[in-house]
Amino acid sequence: MLIRRSPDILSSEITDEAVYMKRREFMKSAGGVAAGLVLGPLLPEILYAQDELTPFEAVTGYNNFYEFGTGKEDPARNAHTLRTRPWTVSVDGEVHNPKEYGIEDILQRFPSEKWGYRFRCVEAWSMVIPWPGFPLRDLLNEVEPTSKAKFVAFETLRDPEQMPGQRRAIMDWPYVEGLRLDEAMHPLTILSTGLYGRMLPNQNGAPIRLVVPWKYGFKSIKSIVKITLVEDMPPTSWNLMIPHEYGFYANGFYANVNPNVDHPRWSQARERPIGKFRRIDTQMFNGYGEQVASLYAGMDLRRNY
């Protein structure tokens, strides 16, 4: 099922939260194997069909987005200053066909599908979020990576006028992140342009953000303006800012959810779903091991965390 995106889309055509909830209830009652057979194309959405979706208000009101403040509620209060139109995303580097996309062009060329993902933050809290979006590999295939491309580097907008948090030297702006090329090409890695069937709110990374569900949330960079394919492992903001907590380059580059590797200041073995009081056991690769573990075959996942 596709979600159409255009400036004049009618509100009645946007899938609302209640529809998502009803659909989850249907999938819960559909049964294990039978559901997999009938709903095969919906695999990304049903990977966590047994988890209750996090309410929209919580998803949009409790965020990490230091460009708008370091408090969890700051982005919702301050992100109204971000102007998401016009918006361009450049894709270059080790590619045969570099491009610059306007956001409306992206919405038209890469129709959004529904992806329901469990999202795990390094601070040991988690959410289950329905992200309309499309696989990153669709865009990368269009620019045709060269044989030298081994990694994908991402960059967030840098504009202190629109992003007041960037007026403080808490990071070396702009925020940057990276993936190995095979991680970026994995079908579960998406570029999201929405949330709960609505346009992506500013505090959640409008107008376009990365979502990599088996990694800690800081890897899913927001408000992307540049994607560069490179030969060498790119630096990432948290690794550079706090190397003793997030490692440096290879040691902390991967950021795969791993309950066996603790943060220096807290355990990662358990997590608290936002809106719940109980904690649950953290799952390796955030529960997506069957889909992604083969990417790391032979690696020491305690060192390359």
Side-chain angles (χ1 to χ4, degrees):
M1 183 175 184
L2 300 181
I3 298 178
R4 292 189 292 113
R5 287 281 178 267
S6 67
D8 57 350
I9 189 168
L10 299 176
S11 60
S12 60
E13 294 181 305
I14 300 176
T15 306
D16 63 19
E17 183 174 353
V19 173
Y20 274 103
M21 293 298 189
K22 289 179 181 178
R23 191 171 185 180
R24 300 293 275 205
E25 290 303 314
F26 167 76
M27 287 188 288
K28 286 182 183 180
S29 62
V33 176
L37 293 174
V38 175
L39 302 174
L42 302 178
L43 176 61
E45 185 170 352
I46 67 174
L47 284 174
Y48 270 89
Q50 299 304 311
D51 285 351
E52 182 180 350
L53 290 176
T54 303
F56 178 84
E57 292 74 17
V59 175
T60 57
Y62 193 87
N63 309 104
N64 283 331
F65 202 172
Y66 279 17
E67 284 82 348
F68 299 103
T70 56
K72 296 294 188 289
E73 291 79 24
D74 288 346
R77 284 195 295 261
N78 300 329
H80 64 277
T81 57
L82 179 64
R83 299 186 296 272
T84 61
R85 300 295 190 279
W87 192 277
T88 59
V89 180
S90 64
V91 188
D92 56 21
E94 293 294 344
V95 298
H96 293 291
N97 190 24
K99 289 181 176 290
E100 185 172 274
Y101 296 92
I103 187 61
E104 300 301 340
D105 188 30
I106 289 175
L107 295 174
Q108 292 174 10
R109 293 172 70 87
F110 306 99
S112 292
E113 301 175 3
K114 294 179 182 177
W115 302 74
Y117 280 153
R118 196 159 185 267
F119 203 63
R120 174 68 157 75
C121 184
V122 75
E123 291 108 332
W125 54 266
S126 61
M127 297 182 177
V128 181
I129 304 174
W131 300 101
F134 61 93
L136 171 60
R137 67 179 182 183
D138 291 355
L139 185 148
L140 296 181
N141 283 334
E142 191 165 281
V143 298
E144 301 179 37
T146 72
S147 60
K148 291 184 177 181
K150 300 295 187 295
F151 295 89
V152 184
F154 304 87
E155 185 174 307
T156 293
L157 175 70
R158 184 182 184 278
D159 187 338
E161 178 186 346
Q162 297 187 59
M163 295 175 153
Q166 291 180 341
R167 299 169 195 166
R168 300 173 58 196
I170 55 176
M171 279 189 167
D172 185 12
W173 307 109
Y175 192 95
V176 293
E177 256 304 338
L179 296 173
R180 216 168 57 190
L181 181 59
D182 58 345
E183 296 176 317
M185 298 294 282
H186 193 280
L188 292 187
T189 301
I190 68 167
L191 289 173
S192 176
T193 54
L195 182 67
Y196 263 123
R198 315 176 193 188
M199 298 299 286
L200 193 63
N202 286 4
Q203 63 266 34
N204 292 95
I208 187 166
R209 63 168 294 162
L210 183 70
V211 178
V212 192
W214 68 93
K215 296 179 178 290
Y216 290 112
F218 65 86
K219 294 294 287 188
S220 293
I221 186 171
K222 304 176 180 76
S223 301
I224 297 170
V225 294
K226 189 172 184 180
I227 300 173
T228 307
L229 283 82
V230 296
E231 187 171 5
D232 299 319
M233 182 177 286
T236 64
S237 286
W238 282 102
N239 294 5
L240 294 175
M241 186 174 76
I242 315 180
H244 63 282
E245 291 193 7
Y246 293 90
F248 188 76
Y249 283 77
N251 276 7
F253 177 82
Y254 290 96
N256 292 321
V257 174
N258 187 342
N260 303 310
V261 177
D262 290 336
H263 185 279
R265 290 185 281 126
W266 54 75
S267 170
Q268 298 285 18
R270 292 177 66 79
E271 65 193 61
R272 182 178 68 84
I274 293 298
K276 305 291 184 181
F277 293 104
R278 63 180 177 84
R279 290 185 174 271
I280 60 175
D281 291 339
T282 299
Q283 299 187 52
M284 187 67 191
F285 296 115
N286 207 22
Y288 296 94
E290 184 177 347
Q291 289 76 32
V292 304
S294 61
L295 295 174
Y296 311 101
M299 290 179 58
D300 180 354
L301 297 180
R302 294 187 66 90
R303 175 173 173 77
N304 295 294
Y305 53 85

